[in-house]
Amino acid sequence: MTTAPPALLIAGHGTRDDAGAEAFRDFVRELGRRHPELPVAGGFIELSPPPLGEAVAELVERGVRRFAAVPLMLVSAGHAKGDIPAALAREKERHPGLSYSYGRPLGPHPGLLSVLERRLDEALGGRARTPADRADVTVLLVGRGSTDPDANAEVHKAARLLWEGRGYAGVETAFVSLAAPDVPSGLDRCVRLGARRIVVLPYFLFTGVLPDRVRLQTEGWSAAHPEVEVLSADVIGPEPELLDLVMERYEEAVKGDLRMNCDSCVYRVALPGFEEKVGLPQQPHYHPDDDGHHHGHHHGGHAHSHAH
């Protein structure tokens, strides 16, 4: 008898914005439609219905005893590191015999970077599709912001990966809450660095209160600086890349393959401008103190044999 695969539980942050909450619920329904072989449910940590506990109860009512939980979050901050694991532990106590595995947050991932690039092209009206066209475009990537430095650093990593190989003049970083620089300060920094054409790119999955705040702050700053062209890009949204990525995180969690983040490894993934590095065998560095034993850092065919 074939054992049924674990169910998929999507854990969201929650928002006071009804459209943003409904976008999450639509996303969960679409995942269920795409994967009829899996029970799929989703819930929020705070602010929006349904709560995560209700989503777990729904799965249990459908006969689920095992599930994999994927946080629908771009960075690993307090919710992904603490709130969701605590909520899942509580649900395990509520439902004896239930077991689960926990996946990792979504970003930065090449699929999401492709969507961000698309959002930038849309904001520019298709006028900057090549690196040469982008030489005068500065991007301000705006994250949620956190009291967790690690989470804020992840936004900087996404900004750097978005800049590499795509030809933009620069990709700067700002935050809409809890962390500096804020959006106006980020725009000021872009100008000090010589920017005359800026696209503000929200690093958010769906619409909501905070992405709306990013747009309003951008418009306010732009009105006070008419000499600078400032454009606003859209959020990531329920794109096919996002749907595929959630399933990738699900598969990792099911298999226990929670390795170090190799999503953006240049030897594993074709990143813009570095495509020729994919699969290259790696040679160890010669070290003058080496005793002759070879402990090489070898990617051969990129099996990716780091000690994850």
Side-chain angles (χ1 to χ4, degrees), residues 134-178:
R134 296 169 173 177
D136 68 341
V137 175
T138 299
V139 178
L140 182 64
L141 185 71
V142 182
R144 173 181 294 274
S146 173
T147 55
D148 183 338
D150 181 44
N152 297 330
E154 284 293 301
V155 181
H156 279 268
K157 181 175 181 178
R160 180 71 195 195
L161 286 168
L162 185 62
W163 179 77
E164 289 275 2
R166 288 183 173 85
Y168 302 112
V171 180
E172 296 299 313
T173 309
F175 302 94
V176 74
S177 67
L178 297 174

Side-chain angles (χ1 to χ4, degrees), residues 175-304:
F175 302 94
V176 74
S177 67
L178 297 174
D182 60 14
V183 174
S185 298
L187 287 164
D188 289 342
R189 174 178 168 80
C190 290
V191 171
R192 286 199 299 274
L193 290 170
R196 287 293 173 265
R197 194 179 184 207
I198 305 170
V199 182
V200 177
L201 178 62
Y203 193 45
F204 287 83
L205 293 174
F206 303 124
T207 56
V209 172
L210 294 181
D212 287 348
R213 188 182 300 169
V214 173
R215 188 174 288 267
L216 285 172
Q217 291 181 357
T218 300
E219 290 170 354
W221 187 93
S222 181
H225 299 80
E227 73 283 2
V228 183
E229 181 184 2
V230 183
L231 302 167
S232 289
D234 285 333
V235 295
I236 290 169
E239 294 293 289
E241 290 93 338
L242 183 59
L243 289 153
D244 291 344
L245 175 53
V246 168
M247 294 311 298
E248 188 176 317
R249 294 290 185 255
Y250 165 82
E251 294 289 347
E252 289 174 358
V254 168
K255 294 173 183 174
D257 181 26
L258 297 182
R259 63 192 186 281
M260 125 191 195
N261 189 345
C262 298
D263 290 331
S264 50
C265 176
V266 76
Y267 298 104
R268 185 185 187 101
V269 177
L271 297 178
F274 301 92
E275 292 86 353
E276 76 285 353
K277 290 184 178 285
V278 174
L280 277 184
Q282 299 300 291
Q283 302 301 324
H285 291 292
Y286 169 75
H287 192 288
D289 297 327
D290 197 321
D291 61 5
H293 295 291
H294 297 292
H295 306 292
H297 188 73
H298 184 73
H299 288 269
H302 211 56
H304 222 59

Side-chain angles (χ1 to χ4, degrees), residues 117-129 134 168:
E117 183 176 15
R118 201 152 66 235
R119 295 291 175 258
L120 289 169
D121 289 345
E122 290 163 1
L124 291 159
R127 293 174 289 152
R129 294 278 171 83
R134 296 169 173 177
Y168 302 112

